[in-house]
Amino acid sequence: MTFEQLLIFVAVAEREHLTQAAAAVGRTPSAVSASIKALESYYGVELFHRVGRRIELTRVGRVFLGEAQATLARVRSAETMLSELGGLRRGTLNVHASQTVASYWLPPVLMRFHKLYPGISLKLTVGNTRMVADAMLEGVAEVGLVEGRVDEPALSVRRVDRDVMAIVVAPDHVWASGAALQPADLVTGAAWIMREEGSGTRTAFESTLVEMGIDPAALDLVMDFPSNEAVLSAVREGGCAAAVSMAAAGPLVERGLLKLANIDLGARDFSLLRHRERRQSGAATALEELCVEAGNVFQSSIDTHIFPQP
């Protein structure tokens, strides 16, 4: 087995798509397909099911994926150690972040890092909070940034900023009037659109509901979506409410395309994850310092989107 075969396998397994994997590793689809077939043939295993034009991991493939990802992580760790001996001039830093952080808070931080350390290649993977925590535990990511709560003994959690949560509705919704709402209104007054289970946004909202004395299961959930943009688009169609970050909803509220419901959901943390037992690279430490420096700059910018409803 060659390192390239391992790299190709992981790329295909993570995407379950040959063409996308080929683009990610800089090879042709035919070369990627030949590499996978050679691996399967040599070891006498089937790593993928071919279902029409689609591919899916077999049970053997799923077991092997974890080991393959861990092996690649160890190789990257060795590369990072050598790069640090060169003073952060070369190397790769794998960053995983949940959607709100990755879309609205992290990009300026990454650009500042690139200006300071242009030889370090940043690879950003976006998922929900649960996915980011899993990537940190598995060693796939060296830096994790989330907006949800993480309770993992192996991970340290450091707050780097705060995020305002709000309920948004379409302009023709009854809650768009700005009249004050009581917690009980959240159960009886609207149907709901939510982020998917495992997302920091949903976890934060459901925790707030519990603090209000409301069972999250009592809400009339119409549908959930895997991104803030999809949630906001669905809410704009009218009839439903959603709890989202003001970082995501603020521009639409400012333009009058969405309205804020008059009830306080409080704030939540943007947090940086670090594995307690793994050695952290100099590049990861440098990025962590930049995240801390970014601090309340983001908070002050999103506060400008929160204004009284007419």
Side-chain angles (χ1 to χ4, degrees):
M1 183 189 305
T2 67
F3 177 75
E4 183 178 37
Q5 283 179 315
L6 201 62
L7 189 68
I8 288 173
F9 166 75
V10 170
V12 175
E14 290 179 341
R15 295 163 179 80
E16 294 195 332
H17 195 286
L18 279 175
T19 303
Q20 292 177 7
V25 298
R27 300 291 186 272
T28 65
S30 60
V32 167
S33 180
S35 176
I36 294 296
K37 288 179 180 177
L39 201 58
E40 291 177 321
S41 176
Y42 186 85
Y43 290 98
V45 297
E46 186 178 21
L47 298 171
F48 295 94
H49 292 303
R50 278 73 174 177
V51 183
R53 301 179 66 124
R54 295 171 48 247
I55 56 173
E56 299 174 350
L57 278 168
T58 63
R59 183 186 62 81
V60 172
R62 292 189 183 282
V63 172
F64 180 52
L65 176 59
E67 184 63 30
Q69 289 173 325
T71 299
L72 291 181
R74 289 193 290 271
V75 171
R76 294 189 186 106
S77 178
E79 290 177 333
T80 299
M81 181 178 292
L82 286 177
S83 73
E84 288 175 9
L85 295 175
L88 291 180
R89 288 197 292 267
R90 296 187 184 280
T92 300
L93 180 60
N94 286 284
V95 181
H96 285 227
S98 51
Q99 287 199 20
T100 302
V101 176
S103 298
Y104 306 100
W105 188 88
L106 188 56
V109 179
L110 295 183
M111 291 306 298
R112 177 162 172 71
F113 182 93
H114 175 69
K115 290 178 181 178
L116 293 172
Y117 311 104
I120 303 294
S121 174
L122 288 167
K123 293 190 176 180
L124 175 64
T125 301
V126 181
N128 61 36
T129 294
R130 182 66 262 167
M131 293 174 181
V132 175
D134 287 344
M136 291 294 297
L137 291 170
E138 295 164 4
V140 177
E142 189 172 1
V143 176
L145 288 144
V146 298
E147 67 256 19
R149 183 174 179 177
V150 174
D151 292 312
E152 289 289 351
L155 301 179
S156 67
V157 181
R158 179 180 185 181
R159 191 183 85 180
V160 293
D161 216 327
R162 297 280 277 168
D163 177 39
V164 176
M165 293 284 292
I167 293 174
V168 293
V169 294
D172 60 354
H173 193 281
V174 64
W175 289 354
S177 67
L181 299 179
Q182 298 302 314
D185 295 327
L186 303 183
V187 177
T188 61
W192 289 85
I193 300 291
M194 289 193 187
R195 282 287 305 278
E196 79 286 4
E197 291 187 6
S199 74
T201 296
R202 181 161 177 168
T203 300
F205 179 48
E206 291 181 342
S207 295
T208 299
L209 290 174
V210 171
E211 291 172 3
M212 292 178 173
I214 296 173
D215 181 357
L219 268 59
D220 179 13
L221 176 60
V222 173
M223 194 174 299
D224 55 29
F225 290 96
S227 72
N228 294 320
E229 291 73 17
V231 168
L232 294 171
S233 179
V235 171
R236 286 180 60 187
E237 290 299 311
C240 293
V244 294
S245 164
M246 278 302 297
L252 294 176
V253 172
E254 196 170 52
R255 291 160 57 193
L257 298 175
L258 291 175
K259 296 289 185 177
L260 299 179
N262 189 0
I263 188 169
D264 182 18
L265 295 185
R268 60 178 176 172
D269 292 342
F270 282 170
S271 302
L272 186 143
L273 306 181
R274 176 194 288 189
H275 200 287
R276 296 182 187 277
E277 297 180 0
R278 292 194 180 99
R279 175 183 173 276
Q280 181 164 278
S281 69
T285 300
L287 180 59
E288 181 175 331
E289 291 172 355
L290 290 178
C291 288
V292 173
E293 288 176 12
N296 291 321
V297 173
F298 174 77
Q299 179 62 49
S300 63
S301 71
I302 66 172
D303 282 346
T304 62
H305 290 303
I306 302 177
F307 48 85
Q309 297 292 310

